[in-house]
Amino acid sequence: MSTRYAITRAELGDHIATLNEPAFRAKQVWEGLYAQRRSMTEITNIGGDLREHLDAYLPLALSEATRRDGDHGLTTKWLWRAHD
């Protein structure tokens, strides 16, 4: 499994083909992620079921584990967790 921004365009196209989706869906997803810089849930020109599948199949590389705000809101520190 790859992360959302580590998958190649060809790999994305191959995976979408295995889902019996039209080939143009790969282009829509790719443009949504890279050209429009949207999250998977914001790519609304593909169906909800496909969005949900790709969101689970292509996780983000990092997720927020802990967030701490200090100095009266002037400082924020994050601890990130890798997808694996």
Side-chain angles (χ1 to χ4, degrees), residues 18-81:
T18 66
L19 302 172
N20 295 321
E21 290 284 341
F24 68 86
R25 293 281 184 234
K27 181 179 179 185
Q28 289 175 313
V29 172
W30 192 264
E31 287 180 355
L33 292 175
Y34 289 98
Q36 300 167 2
R37 296 185 180 172
R38 295 181 178 200
S39 69
M40 195 64 72
T41 58
E42 294 173 324
I43 303 174
T44 57
N45 59 344
I46 62 174
D49 290 341
L50 181 57
R51 279 196 312 261
E52 287 178 22
H53 169 79
L54 292 175
D55 196 38
Y57 180 74
L58 298 171
L60 291 171
L62 300 173
S63 61
E64 185 178 311
T66 304
R67 176 183 177 156
R68 293 202 178 181
D69 295 317
D71 198 21
H72 306 290
L74 298 176
T75 303
T76 302
K77 294 182 180 183
W78 289 273
L79 176 63
W80 298 98
R81 178 173 290 120

